[in-house]
Amino acid sequence: MAAPAPGGPGAAASAALDELSRNLTYGALGAGNGSLSGPWYRRNQIHLFGVLLAILGNLVISISLNIQKYSHLQLAHQEHPRPYFKSVLWWGSIVLMAVGETGNFAAYGFAPITLIAPLGCMSVTGSAIISVMFLKENLRASDLLGMTLAFAGTYLLVNFAPNITQDISARTVQYYFVGWQFMTYGILEILIFCILLYFHKRKGIKHIAILLTLVALLASLTVISVKAVSGMITFSVTDKMQLTYPIFYIMFIIMIASCVFQVKLLNQATKLYSTATVVPVNHTFFTISAIIAGTIFYQEFLGAAFLTIFIYLFGCFLSFLGVVLVTRNREKEHLPQSYIDFGHVPGKQMLDKIQPDSNGLSYGTLPDGSDSTKSPSGEKKEV
């Protein structure tokens, strides 16, 4: 059988299959066999450092969120609760949150956006594990399945994400910033953002898809600017100073502004919808937006084989599904009882509970031992 022509579609497919066999083979000896082999490690060690920073950053964020929740629970059980900002635990969670976000920020300087952004699923799955150990929450079968899928998706993402190493200098960012790809993408994103904002503000539509699409559109600018700022800082430390170029400060302003408006819109979504609904939808929308932004602005999938892209997208799908399973129905476990116990309400002394029976004739009667109601004229009438 003839070998595929160099540079043709057959050669690209063959290269992708070779990469797949290298990544999934552990038994045979030889150069390039397995994801833990020496050549694979040397080829990807810079990216792996970014992956390590992102995973550790997300795990630290998970710990901080659980400590924050624990501090709120402690304050709620106090007879005279103090403001939460006077709690040492709460401030400790804020410090850990800052450390975790710093790790995520630094990770963009060492690895592509399309590799770092989907690793946000580690924050959700890590939070579920920590809440079981730290807050004594129940571990459900769907949690175990979701974690397994998220870890499998993460493995595929790390292996099949774009294997490109870019030195993000100021000139590189300027070149991408004025390129026709980003100009076209930017104009289209602004138009979509303005249309959605019109329906949200003028028409009063508060649907979760509109709110989180607005967040995702801003997030695409955030990841572009974060990688630019982080990459230029890294380049300044390892090679030549880049912080004197105006593009650094332009990207820094875009990063701060997009983050502020993201938080504002995300807060609106969490006020209107449960966290179990917002978290998986936001993770999915954010990741898709970040992948599109990395592909268009930094051209991270340039020259990638179709099979490699397909397996990468399948890894994203597994991580999305894992996040949905971990967060599904989690808040329903903590819903209050349907009756009202007046014996525990300050200032009220009742000996029984009011539990209305909507199917009975005595619906709404007080527990005073009688089954009488009042007629509209005020006279008592036996039921």
Side-chain angles (χ1 to χ4, degrees), residues 105-138:
F105 173 81
Y108 283 101
F110 295 96
I113 291 174
T114 46
L115 176 56
I116 299 301
L119 295 178
C121 67
M122 290 292 100
S123 177
V124 180
T125 53
S127 182
I129 296 171
I130 294 167
S131 65
V132 170
M133 297 185 298
F134 190 60
L135 299 177
K136 307 302 180 184
E137 293 188 0
N138 295 327

Side-chain angles (χ1 to χ4, degrees), residues 55-182:
I55 291 176
L56 290 176
N58 283 307
L59 290 178
V60 170
I61 290 172
S62 301
I63 294 170
S64 73
L65 290 173
N66 280 275
I67 291 176
Q68 194 173 117
K69 184 176 180 180
Y70 180 73
S71 69
H72 285 302
L73 289 173
Q74 272 198 331
L75 292 172
H77 284 89
Q78 291 179 1
E79 187 176 355
H80 302 289
R82 299 174 299 166
Y84 64 89
F85 54 82
K86 291 186 178 181
S87 168
V88 176
L89 273 178
W90 186 82
W91 278 109
S93 70
I94 296 299
V95 172
L96 285 177
M97 178 74 75
V99 171
E101 293 294 354
T102 302
N104 274 336
F105 173 81
Y108 283 101
F110 295 96
I113 291 174
T114 46
L115 176 56
I116 299 301
L119 295 178
C121 67
M122 290 292 100
S123 177
V124 180
T125 53
S127 182
I129 296 171
I130 294 167
S131 65
V132 170
M133 297 185 298
F134 190 60
L135 299 177
K136 307 302 180 184
E137 293 188 0
N138 295 327
L139 182 64
R140 308 166 302 174
S142 62
D143 293 336
L144 292 174
L145 179 59
M147 292 172 195
T148 303
L149 291 175
F151 293 148
T154 301
Y155 175 81
L156 293 178
L157 288 169
V158 172
N159 277 275
F160 293 95
N163 186 21
I164 60 169
T165 302
Q166 296 187 65
D167 292 327
I168 305 298
S169 65
R171 293 187 182 278
T172 303
V173 176
Q174 287 175 355
Y175 172 77
Y176 288 139
F177 194 78
V178 298
W180 68 268
Q181 297 95 333
F182 179 68

Side-chain angles (χ1 to χ4, degrees), residues 2-83:
S14 177
L17 288 171
D18 290 342
E19 180 70 17
L20 179 60
S21 64
R22 283 197 299 269
N23 288 333
L24 300 180
T25 303
Y26 290 92
L29 296 174
N33 267 338
S35 297
L36 302 180
S37 64
W40 186 91
Y41 175 77
R42 285 192 294 272
R43 191 169 66 247
N44 295 277
Q45 59 182 343
I46 298 298
H47 293 175
L48 288 175
F49 182 67
V51 168
L52 181 63
L53 283 175
I55 291 176
L56 290 176
N58 283 307
L59 290 178
V60 170
I61 290 172
S62 301
I63 294 170
S64 73
L65 290 173
N66 280 275
I67 291 176
Q68 194 173 117
K69 184 176 180 180
Y70 180 73
S71 69
H72 285 302
L73 289 173
Q74 272 198 331
L75 292 172
H77 284 89
Q78 291 179 1
E79 187 176 355
H80 302 289
R82 299 174 299 166

Side-chain angles (χ1 to χ4, degrees), residues 192-356:
I192 296 173
F193 187 87
C194 290
I195 292 170
L196 292 177
L197 195 63
Y198 170 78
F199 281 108
H200 174 60
K201 293 291 186 181
R202 296 292 184 180
K203 300 295 183 180
I205 299 176
K206 308 291 185 183
H207 196 277
I208 188 172
I210 290 181
L211 283 168
L212 295 184
T213 301
L214 289 169
V215 172
L217 291 173
L218 290 170
S220 67
L221 294 178
T222 302
V223 294
I224 287 172
S225 55
V226 164
K227 182 168 180 62
V229 172
S230 179
M232 282 188 276
I233 291 174
T234 304
F235 197 87
S236 298
V237 173
T238 59
D239 197 323
K240 183 182 177 183
M241 177 60 66
Q242 302 293 305
L243 308 188
T244 56
Y245 290 87
I247 191 66
F248 173 83
Y249 299 97
I250 292 172
M251 285 297 184
F252 185 80
I253 292 170
I254 292 174
M255 179 182 71
I256 298 299
S258 60
C259 282
V260 169
F261 286 107
Q262 263 190 92
V263 170
K264 183 179 178 181
L265 289 167
L266 199 55
N267 281 336
Q268 290 183 28
T270 52
K271 286 179 182 178
L272 295 171
Y273 301 93
S274 67
T275 305
T277 303
V278 172
V279 168
V281 177
N282 183 58
H283 171 70
T284 302
F285 282 18
F286 167 81
T287 304
I288 293 172
S289 176
I291 291 171
I292 294 172
T295 302
I296 292 175
F297 191 88
Y298 292 103
Q299 302 175 22
E300 292 180 350
F301 277 108
L302 189 64
F306 173 78
L307 185 59
T308 302
I309 297 173
F310 175 80
I311 298 174
Y312 168 83
L313 294 177
F314 182 68
C316 289
F317 171 75
L318 290 181
S319 70
F320 296 159
L321 188 58
V323 170
V324 170
L325 289 173
V326 169
T327 56
R328 185 173 62 95
N329 297 331
R330 181 165 290 276
E331 291 189 351
K332 291 184 179 178
E333 298 176 358
H334 306 290
L335 290 178
Q337 297 294 326
S338 58
Y339 64 80
I340 303 171
D341 186 356
F342 274 86
H344 291 85
V345 177
K348 298 285 184 181
Q349 292 185 354
M350 300 290 290
L351 300 177
D352 205 348
K353 297 171 183 176
I354 296 180
Q355 179 64 57

